[in-house]
Amino acid sequence: MSDDVEFEGEIEARLSEQEYFRPPAKFVGQANVSDPAIHDRFGDEWPHGFEEYAELLDWESRWDETLDASNPPFYEWFVGGELNACYNCVDRHLDERKNQVALLWEGEGGDRSHLTYQDLYREVNRMAAALRTMGVEEDDVVTLHLPMVPALPITMLACARIGAPHSEVFAGFSASALAQRIDDADSDVVVTIDGYYRRGELLNHKQKADQAVEEADTDVDTVLVWERHEGDLHDDVDVVEDRDVLVTDLKADHDRARVDPVTRNAEDPLFLMYTSGTTGQPKGCQHRTGGYLSYVTGTSKYVLDIKPEDTYWCAADIGWITGHSYIVYGPLALGTTSVMYEGAPDHPHKGRIWEIAEKYDVDIFHTSPTAVRMFMKWGPEYPEEYDFDFRHMTTVGEPIQPEAWLWYYKYIGGEDAVIVDTWWQTETGGHLITNLPALDDMKPGSAGKPCPGIQPAIYDDNGNPVEAASGKAGNLVIEKPWPGMLQTVYGDDERFVDEYWRDFSDTNSDDMADWVYKAGDGAVHERDGYFRILGRLDDVMNVAGHRLGTMELESAVAEVEEVAEAAVAAREDAEKGEVPDVYVVLREGIEPSEAVRNGIVRAVEEEIGKFARPANVVFVDDLPKTRSGKIMRRLLEDISNDQDLGDTTTLRDPSVPEQIRDLVHGD
Ligand code: WT7
């Protein structure tokens, strides 16, 4: 872990106490869980409580063993069980609700497509047949680069149907980022779309896949291309002969196709989701079929309170884990109706979200603190114009400031909806810390209590547990495994152990009790038993709820010819949570200029994506370094945030931070 973390588990976090809000009685009366015995049930019979989640699914053969912990941290869940995730999300609903809408998709410009479970069944079968025709076999990794259109869940489910793990790369990622993920997964089939709408413009999205295939070392032999307007290919898109195939054509060939869902072992991988870590290389978090699907279905039911008759809207992007778990797999496994929206929340007007909520009579709404801060900035007049009535609201991805929480509660929830603040990660598959909404009072700014069967704790930097509920800050860890956890980092078991386990575990032990999962976050276990999340302790920042590694940004900047050295620091931002500031030393003889600055911004956009664009580029003569030459990013962060500089005497040149500070803030 980074050597400049100063928590030590000693400092009492000085955070203002918040008042509690009771869940409304009308919510409690109808909640999926209102009996507090659930926590004891999961705790006393651990790990067997998790069977309650697995039993929400249809299994082809039941598991023999709930947890095999003989080889930590390579845990196996529901061992011997067999199931198919697509079958559980689609086929099994046909008897009871084939004419119920599964997906209410709304295009940015107002076009729409409403797919019933029967429609979804047909579409998924056609796509599964199409993938098979293109040579995709069980266990081949298929890379998806799809935006928020029905093609995305259809393709994911089609992959699951034939047992091919999908690896969806968020559509906002650049061609280079896509190429990197194609190579890491050694994936030779890519699925993309010609275009999609962003603020009224039909983007040429496919060009990113074209460039990625060119850049990748892997020999991609097939690119499947969906069309945003079926049968009407984007004018600017090129079709590469012998490699590209239009999904529209394939679907026509397989119109009435039926593909039997393949039987998967519970431990067979369902998908990969890449996420940023502390090195330049993103990690492919590998999620298993049985444990993952059980966990997201269980938490969708108990935490999100989803019922089949609800209209549920998670306004995240399926390109991140939130959308995988809580737009696609959990909600569809429960047979509910989900809203999916393609576009920007302020296009064509700032009331767009509430207009959709009113139109579909949404019951459950799910968004990020960044979005809440943005809605707050726009003002209450937008939501006030529309008639909608949420019973349940979720936030995810970042800490929510009490001020934003209170605004969300009042203006969006009308003071009679519950808010659940869910803490979890790409790696954890599903929620780990959050209140079960009917059981515990809400407290603005705190994620809440552990989910059933989950055992979080706070450790100091020396690996010693900090007394529970002592109000002290430290490293957030999870002491026991859970079914939604990642299986490994794709193709790199060693990195899996190094990144998540080594710091707080006895890695020579084969006793599960000696293995502790490091989340990478700082947190406080408050005296009332609630957990308050403080943010990342490693070189990972959180920009508008999206995780970004400083190393990835730094390597993108270092590619720029004029740059000798670069360091990235997270600056707090009222709207986005954090934004990247880039500190750059130029090569000998190069003068700072707008052109160099633009080149740096462009490099980040090209290597990662526009969402990672630096907020500031600061040209400096030198970076603050220790005597051994390690860059002290913490000091840059203090400068970016205009904080006191602490001890700089151990630096090679102690005057450097002051010089940079003068440059940024003036004398
Ligand atoms: C990191 C994980 C899990 C889906 C979205 C992000 C931060 C997440 C909360 C929360 C405070 C949160 C943590 C975590 N985070 N949820 N409710 N309160 N911080 O997934 O990209 O894997 O990022 O997001 O820092 O480690 P991710």
Side-chain angles (χ1 to χ4, degrees):
M1 63 187 315
S2 50
D3 56 355
D4 39 14
V5 170
E6 282 165 11
F7 271 144
E8 290 150 14
E10 301 293 326
I11 334 153
E12 180 119 359
R14 283 175 233 291
L15 298 159
S16 61
E17 271 308 312
Q18 283 293 324
E19 58 175 320
Y20 298 91
F21 290 77
R22 290 208 71 76
K26 77 167 195 208
F27 178 86
V28 177
Q30 59 78 63
N32 283 337
V33 186
S34 50
D35 179 1
I38 183 171
H39 286 291
D40 296 336
R41 208 156 67 227
F42 273 68
D44 297 346
E45 288 161 36
W46 195 95
H48 299 287
F50 291 120
E51 290 167 15
E52 201 166 313
Y53 292 169
E55 274 155 8
L56 297 170
L57 304 178
D58 285 1
W59 294 75
E60 286 168 50
S61 42
R62 197 183 157 93
W63 57 95
D64 318 306
E65 199 183 352
T66 302
L67 168 65
D68 177 352
S70 59
N71 182 28
F74 300 94
Y75 299 103
E76 297 190 6
W77 285 95
F78 306 116
V79 185
E82 292 177 325
L83 77 169
N84 181 283
C86 176
Y87 176 87
N88 273 282
C89 292
V90 184
D91 305 42
R92 70 160 172 161
H93 301 309
L94 295 181
D95 273 353
E96 262 183 61
R97 58 186 96 257
K98 74 172 179 214
N99 293 322
Q100 180 190 314
V101 176
L103 291 173
L104 288 164
W105 177 79
E106 179 93 7
E108 192 188 65
D111 53 340
R112 63 193 63 125
S113 142
H114 295 174
L115 295 171
T116 63
Y117 275 94
Q118 174 72 34
D119 296 333
L120 189 59
Y121 174 74
R122 178 152 177 243
E123 288 284 338
V124 165
N125 272 284
R126 291 205 284 198
M127 190 59 186
L131 288 166
R132 279 247 174 97
T133 313
M134 301 318 296
V136 177
E137 291 177 8
E138 194 172 348
D139 290 319
D140 290 350
V141 177
V142 178
T143 300
L144 281 51
H145 193 223
L146 290 166
M148 285 294 282
V149 291
L152 176 48
I154 290 168
T155 309
M156 287 166 64
L157 292 164
C159 287
R161 195 169 191 83
I162 61 172
H166 50 79
S167 170
E168 152 73 2
V169 178
F170 170 58
F173 272 116
S174 68
S176 300
L178 176 60
Q180 192 179 24
R181 288 157 178 75
I182 290 171
D183 280 339
D184 191 83
D186 202 10
S187 167
D188 57 11
V189 179
V190 173
V191 185
T192 186
I193 191 166
D194 58 344
Y196 66 99
Y197 287 94
R198 238 335 164 263
R199 300 217 157 74
E201 189 193 345
L202 182 60
L203 305 178
N204 176 352
H205 180 62
K206 185 190 174 258
Q207 62 181 359
K208 288 192 189 172
D210 290 338
Q211 196 189 322
V213 169
E214 209 156 289
E215 266 180 45
D217 296 326
T218 310
D219 204 1
V220 174
D221 44 40
T222 309
V223 176
L224 294 180
V225 187
W226 286 83
E227 288 166 292
R228 173 63 178 77
H229 298 283
E230 218 171 283
D232 180 12
L233 190 69
H234 192 303
D235 288 343
D236 303 331
V237 157
D238 301 320
V239 176
V240 178
E241 221 171 306
D242 296 331
R243 188 200 71 186
D244 296 356
V245 184
L246 294 185
V247 174
T248 315
D249 296 344
L250 280 175
K251 283 205 311 192
D253 296 345
H254 298 285
D255 191 32
R256 309 280 316 160
R258 294 292 176 264
V259 173
D260 286 340
V262 305
T263 303
R264 297 288 276 170
N265 288 322
E267 279 294 307
D268 284 340
L270 179 60
F271 67 88
L272 306 180
M273 168 61 66
Y274 281 85
T275 190
S276 296
T278 48
T279 71
Q281 179 72 16
K283 301 173 279 196
C285 295
Q286 180 180 316
H287 283 285
R288 72 196 88 219
T289 304
Y292 170 83
L293 195 64
S294 300
Y295 198 74
V296 299
T297 305
T299 46
S300 292
K301 180 162 181 177
Y302 292 173
V303 177
L304 303 179
D305 200 49
I306 291 176
K307 304 177 181 69
E309 57 276 17
D310 284 328
T311 302
Y312 163 80
W313 185 10
C314 171
D317 194 297
I318 297 177
W320 306 99
I321 192 72
T322 304
H324 275 51
S325 300
Y326 298 119
I327 299 179
V328 180
Y329 286 113
L332 291 176
L334 291 176
T336 197
T337 299
S338 272
V339 175
M340 228 184 117
Y341 173 54
E342 173 183 36
D346 56 353
H347 192 88
H349 56 81
K350 293 194 171 76
R352 188 75 173 108
I353 298 294
W354 320 119
E355 180 183 67
I356 296 171
E358 175 187 275
K359 179 152 97 189
Y360 297 122
D361 201 10
V362 170
D363 303 293
I364 305 176
F365 182 70
H366 192 149
T367 194
S368 65
T370 288
V372 173
R373 290 189 296 265
M374 191 174 67
F375 299 144
M376 192 163 104
K377 197 176 97 185
W378 293 345
E381 55 274 28
Y382 295 98
E384 271 162 5
E385 217 178 290
Y386 298 91
D387 188 14
F388 58 91
D389 183 16
F390 300 147
R391 117 174 152 252
H392 181 299
M393 307 191 301
T394 300
T395 68
V396 62
E398 318 148 69
I400 183 162
Q401 296 72 12
E403 191 200 359
W405 193 101
L406 291 167
W407 192 91
Y408 193 38
Y409 184 69
K410 180 167 179 197
Y411 292 106
I412 307 301
E415 297 183 334
D416 71 351
V418 291
I419 297 184
V420 295
D421 178 346
T422 57
W423 175 85
W424 56 295
Q425 311 176 295
T426 304
E427 292 85 346
T428 71
H431 311 133
L432 294 192
I433 299 179
T434 180
N435 287 337
L436 293 181
L439 295 186
D440 296 296
D441 291 350
M442 302 171 261
K443 187 166 82 164
S446 279
K449 295 193 177 166
C451 292
I454 303 299
Q455 198 158 312
I458 305 296
Y459 280 29
D460 68 20
D461 284 349
N462 301 320
N464 301 314
V466 170
E467 193 193 335
S470 61
K472 290 185 177 136
N475 297 279
L476 177 59
V477 303
I478 313 292
E479 294 183 319
K480 284 182 174 173
W482 65 98
M485 68 198 304
L486 74 166
Q487 285 180 297
T488 187
V489 171
Y490 185 73
D492 200 344
D493 288 348
E494 205 177 304
R495 189 164 178 206
F496 173 60
V497 174
D498 288 347
E499 294 254 359
Y500 303 107
W501 306 93
R502 193 170 297 286
D503 283 348
F504 298 121
S505 306
D506 172 2
T507 51
N508 293 317
S509 168
D510 57 12
D511 181 353
M512 174 176 87
D514 295 324
W515 287 79
V516 172
Y517 173 87
K518 178 182 82 167
D521 279 323
V524 178
H525 191 194
E526 297 169 302
R527 294 186 195 282
D528 56 9
Y530 285 45
F531 282 85
R532 187 190 286 258
I533 312 297
L534 302 172
R536 301 291 307 191
L537 294 177
D538 49 10
D539 291 324
V540 170
M541 63 176 94
N542 191 328
V543 181
H546 299 319
R547 207 205 285 196
L548 264 187
T550 48
M551 289 295 285
E552 278 167 77
L553 284 155
E554 286 170 9
S555 30
V557 175
E559 304 254 309
V560 177
E561 213 187 303
E562 294 89 345
V563 171
E565 219 177 0
V568 170
R571 183 157 57 80
E572 279 163 37
D573 182 85
E575 219 176 304
K576 292 186 173 170
E578 290 179 340
V579 291
D581 278 354
V582 184
Y583 292 85
V584 176
V585 180
L586 295 174
R587 284 185 197 281
E588 279 292 321
I590 308 274
E591 290 299 316
S593 69
E594 255 333 273
V596 177
R597 185 187 308 272
N598 293 339
I600 289 169
V601 172
R602 214 174 323 117
V604 172
E605 291 181 358
E606 278 169 15
E607 286 297 311
I608 304 172
K610 289 205 165 97
F611 68 95
R613 196 185 290 145
N616 291 300
V617 178
V618 186
F619 296 109
V620 298
D621 294 332
D622 203 356
L623 293 168
K625 287 185 184 155
T626 60
R627 289 201 187 96
S628 61
K630 188 180 175 315
I631 298 175
M632 296 289 288
R633 293 191 185 80
R634 255 309 124 132
L635 289 171
L636 292 172
E637 219 155 273
D638 290 342
I639 295 169
S640 277
N641 294 304
D642 209 1
Q643 303 259 320
D644 285 344
L645 280 176
D647 184 17
T648 57
T649 51
T650 58
L651 293 185
R652 196 167 60 191
D653 179 351
S655 69
V656 168
E658 281 302 336
Q659 290 167 20
I660 301 178
R661 184 213 277 287
D662 288 350
L663 209 72
V664 174
H665 299 288
D667 317 88

